[in-house]
Amino acid sequence: QVQLVESGGELVQAGGSLRLSCAASGRTFGNYPMGWFRQAPGKEREFVAAISWNGIMTAYADPVKGRFTISRDSAYNTVYLQMNSLKPEDTAVYYCNFVYNINYRPVQDSWGQGTQVTVSS
């Protein structure tokens, strides 16, 4: 597996913004899509967003459409999730993973530590 490290999460007030990062140090992600997932306490992990290897195609879960934007750097070794107009229901641990481009299911079965996003009312 490729070790992925998420960062950028913190406590913010509703309506605020955060940018999360997912990095694979010393290498690129290759020509494969990357995705963001999140898991709230007591809930199942759910898909949030995905981006193609060239950054042209993106996909979003309905709850975050229009508020979140997934992007990548030019070297494709870091993927970002810009989160605007945050809501308390966005509170979760956010993870990244390689995804299959048909159904956006995660490829690697080992997850990193994730990064905690907490949105206060």
Side-chain angles (χ1 to χ4, degrees):
Q1 70 171 350
V2 177
Q3 294 181 344
L4 303 173
V5 180
E6 303 91 346
S7 62
E10 63 179 75
L11 173 65
V12 297
Q13 191 170 0
S17 298
L18 285 174
R19 191 182 74 162
L20 307 183
S21 298
C22 170
S25 182
R27 62 174 293 162
T28 70
F29 297 129
N31 297 332
Y32 306 99
M34 295 296 297
W36 284 96
F37 300 79
R38 66 186 182 185
Q39 185 170 28
K43 305 292 180 61
E44 294 184 355
R45 183 180 287 110
E46 64 178 358
F47 168 79
V48 175
I51 187 168
S52 63
W53 68 272
N54 59 11
I56 299 299
M57 303 295 291
T58 58
Y60 300 92
D62 287 342
V64 308
K65 288 181 179 178
R67 299 188 298 118
F68 291 10
T69 303
I70 188 171
S71 63
R72 65 166 180 84
D73 65 355
S74 59
Y76 199 37
N77 58 12
T78 306
V79 173
Y80 305 97
L81 185 68
Q82 178 66 46
M83 305 184 295
N84 299 326
S85 302
L86 283 163
K87 304 175 180 180
E89 49 263 47
D90 295 319
T91 295
V93 178
Y94 285 70
Y95 304 87
C96 62
N97 205 329
F98 297 91
V99 298
Y100 296 105
N101 62 13
I102 295 178
N103 54 20
Y104 308 116
R105 291 179 178 177
V107 173
Q108 297 189 145
D109 56 13
S110 295
W111 298 83
Q113 68 178 36
T115 185
Q116 176 72 52
V117 173
T118 302
V119 184
S120 62
S121 300

